[in-house]
Amino acid sequence: LTAKKALKGLVAMSESVAVVGAGLVGCLAAIALAKRGYKVTVFDYRKDPREKSTTDRNLRSINLAISSRGITSLEFVDVEMAERVLKDIIPMKGRMIHHLNGREESQIYGLFGETINSIDRAVLNNYLLDELDRFDSDKVQLKFSHKLKKIKFRDPKELQSCVFSTDDGVEQVYGVNFIVGCDGCYSTTRDQMQREVRMRYSQEYIDCCYIELYIPPSKTYVEEFRGNFSLTPDHLHIWPRHKFMLIALANKDGSFTSTFFGPWKLVESLLESRSRVEEFLQENFPDAMALMGLENAVQCFMTYPKGALMCVECEPYHVPGGRCIILGDAAHSMVPFYGQGMNCGFEDVKVLMKLLDANHGDRAKAFQAYTETRHRDLTAIIKLAVRNYREMSHDVTSMAFLLKKKIDSW
Ligand code: FAD
């Protein structure tokens, strides 16, 4: 620690774990660990997103599709908790393809009513934080405005020390038995691990930008949709236009969160003038513009943040001796087209807890087994996610063509 920064003190805890990141995966990991008797402290550099005064918009209010992979993982941790945090989900039984000529085509996901489910990421995160508040404070503590800067890995028998910076410029050092890094795709935990273990690591940006748009609730109640929805809420809506696309997922209040995906060059060239954006949106998504309001859509397209999409792969996921492990986007960031980033992160928690249980809490063995058994699955899903961009933006426009291709190959 530098002399300039005051060191408030080393907080020593026994049988303790620092969960870095109070996002979706960090919260679930913390709940699962607390249920197993560990003393959990969750750190996040954000302010508490549930505080009304919080203007922190790091976690954008995008909608996520939660699938059976994610739901069964939540249920594995705690069935009643899963029921509480999933109370706002909207089931989606298929895709609704919006063709350029205005034709709508429903493509059902399964023959037996299988669904994926729309949920607001911020709402789900807040519910999971509420679940952490249900534990006694000697079991779980939440520390916001704490940014992990450095980890000093020590002998497995000693406490690992984590250095955090806080809003008041003070550095805090916490000694814990082990660390679970759930600090997202730009993970500091992963970065610190790379100094301790020979980690194979790759990070790749894909040429795709995303912009969040919005379809407001319909002014009138629509009997057929049982709400103020202007599109059917039980589908994931896609406007596939080959090189770019628009999607929309329903919210409880009747609105839809919509996301545009397209190559950076296209977006940058459109942004050169307002009229180009207007022309582009009207030409390619006339029906969606009628619902969003063209003026409003153009304004959002021009001013809202432009998100980059990347894939992160690494191995191993842990530091030997059961000292540290990374889960969620920290370990495997993937592009969103397969809707599996969070689902997979939730599954990480389930897989790790099963291994901890099977190894009677022997972290060294459980973490080693996690890296050995999880890597193949994670690599596969990262690839599937990239491949699904073509499926969503292009292949869905011609299911008949795909079917013929399949039949021809038999
Ligand atoms: P994050 O949500 O990134 O949380 C990380 C947390 O760590 C944050 O709270 C952050 O503040 C904190 N943090 C970071 N650094 C530090 C530090 N140094 N110190 C302390 N705290 C720190 N997934 C799905 O399953 N289904 C979908 O439909 C889906 N759609 C998506 C659509 C889009 C447009 C995008 C971009 C992603 C989508 N995803 C989807 C992926 C999903 O959002 C992520 O996989 C998921 O949010 C990862 O959760 P996480 O907890 O691992 O990381």
Side-chain angles (χ1 to χ4, degrees):
L1 298 173
T2 60
K4 272 186 204 152
K5 293 171 189 159
L7 168 65
K8 243 191 184 164
L10 180 83
V11 186
M13 299 179 272
S14 61
E15 284 307 299
S16 52
V17 48
V19 174
V20 185
L24 300 169
V25 178
C27 286
L28 186 64
I31 295 167
L33 289 162
K35 283 180 73 89
R36 278 162 181 74
Y38 294 100
K39 279 178 91 173
V40 182
T41 310
V42 186
F43 298 91
D44 203 294
Y45 74 69
R46 291 181 289 156
K47 292 192 169 60
D48 189 337
R50 295 166 298 173
E51 282 173 13
K52 282 212 172 75
S53 57
T54 299
T55 51
D56 199 314
R57 292 276 295 153
N58 273 332
L59 272 187
R60 279 182 231 140
S61 65
I62 54 170
N63 277 25
L64 304 174
I66 184 161
S67 68
S68 147
R69 186 190 304 278
I71 294 172
T72 51
S73 302
L74 285 166
E75 287 171 346
F76 171 82
V77 172
D78 184 333
V79 174
E80 285 166 13
M81 177 273 296
E83 216 169 276
R84 285 192 294 271
V85 302
L86 295 175
K87 61 177 182 274
D88 285 340
I89 59 173
I90 301 178
M92 299 180 289
K93 64 182 182 195
R95 303 166 176 143
M96 185 67 81
I97 306 303
H98 296 261
H99 295 276
L100 192 52
N101 62 8
R103 186 168 67 87
E104 292 181 0
E105 178 188 343
S106 166
Q107 296 175 358
I108 299 300
Y109 287 131
L111 293 176
F112 306 102
E114 295 92 333
T115 61
I116 54 171
N117 307 275
S118 169
I119 187 154
D120 182 303
R121 175 160 74 172
V123 169
L124 179 58
N125 204 170
N126 289 351
Y127 283 165
L128 286 166
L129 287 167
D130 290 345
E131 291 296 320
L132 284 169
D133 283 345
R134 295 168 80 101
F135 289 93
D136 292 341
S137 59
D138 60 333
K139 293 205 174 86
V140 174
Q141 289 204 10
L142 280 169
K143 292 197 179 292
F144 291 101
S145 305
H146 277 64
K147 184 170 190 164
L148 178 72
K149 302 296 274 187
K150 197 170 176 182
I151 302 174
K152 269 197 190 152
F153 291 107
R154 302 182 194 276
D155 186 89
K157 290 193 199 89
E158 294 174 30
L159 296 180
Q160 313 302 310
S161 70
C162 305
V163 182
F164 292 88
S165 64
T166 57
D167 274 1
D168 48 14
V170 173
E171 278 194 345
Q172 293 263 20
V173 185
Y174 288 82
V176 289
N177 292 101
F178 69 108
I179 300 139
V180 179
C182 304
D183 44 351
C185 56
Y186 298 103
S187 170
T188 305
T189 314
R190 184 184 66 224
D191 177 65
Q192 294 295 300
M193 280 170 66
Q194 285 170 339
R195 293 156 205 265
E196 186 70 13
V197 292
R198 291 188 305 279
M199 182 187 278
R200 205 181 51 74
Y201 168 72
S202 74
Q203 170 185 320
E204 194 183 341
Y205 282 96
I206 63 159
D207 178 23
C208 187
C209 155
Y210 73 90
I211 308 172
E212 192 189 300
L213 303 172
Y214 178 72
I215 299 175
S218 144
K219 289 203 175 78
T220 50
Y221 182 87
V222 182
E223 198 61 51
E224 186 193 350
F225 301 152
R226 292 201 209 106
N228 288 53
F229 298 100
S230 44
L231 294 166
T232 173
D234 62 0
H235 279 69
L236 193 160
H237 294 268
I238 311 180
W239 289 259
R241 301 292 183 260
H242 306 290
K243 291 218 160 67
F244 51 88
M245 69 172 169
L246 189 69
I247 65 167
L249 282 80
N251 297 310
K252 274 267 161 189
D253 67 353
S255 67
F256 285 77
T257 304
S258 173
T259 314
F260 171 83
F261 295 94
W264 280 99
K265 271 221 167 80
L266 169 72
V267 173
E268 281 156 5
S269 76
L270 292 172
L271 290 174
E272 281 166 15
S273 82
R274 197 179 178 86
S275 60
R276 288 187 81 164
V277 174
E278 194 174 312
E279 221 170 88
F280 172 82
L281 292 177
Q282 185 58 34
E283 204 171 285
N284 291 290
F285 311 110
D287 50 350
M289 290 310 112
L291 302 176
M292 287 180 193
L294 184 58
E295 264 308 292
N296 174 50
V298 172
Q299 184 65 13
C300 296
F301 196 96
M302 299 211 54
T303 56
Y304 278 14
K306 315 290 178 280
L309 297 172
M310 71 158 168
C311 308
V312 165
E313 269 191 66
C314 64
E315 191 199 16
Y317 304 114
H318 73 289
V319 176
R323 288 175 284 170
C324 183
I325 192 159
I326 44 175
L327 306 177
D329 276 17
H332 51 72
S333 182
M334 63 192 78
V335 293
F337 309 116
Y338 212 40
Q340 285 297 334
M342 165 198 61
N343 286 301
C344 224
F346 283 172
E347 192 179 54
D348 292 349
V349 175
K350 178 172 86 173
V351 171
L352 181 63
M353 294 306 133
K354 280 191 170 177
L355 287 168
L356 275 170
D357 295 346
N359 288 284
H360 311 289
D362 183 334
R363 280 181 272 116
K365 283 189 185 156
F367 289 10
Q368 178 69 34
Y370 180 89
T371 286
E372 282 167 9
T373 55
R374 191 80 180 126
H375 183 62
R376 272 182 59 170
D377 288 346
L378 292 176
T379 322
I381 206 146
I382 290 169
K383 282 202 184 100
L384 284 168
V386 172
R387 207 180 290 169
N388 215 45
Y389 183 55
R390 187 181 157 81
E391 162 108 9
M392 283 179 84
S393 62
H394 177 80
D395 292 350
V396 288
T397 56
S398 176
M399 288 311 272
F401 167 75
L402 273 185
L403 201 61
K404 182 173 179 310
K405 225 167 83 176
K406 186 106 196 143
I407 292 166
D408 289 349
S409 71
W410 286 341

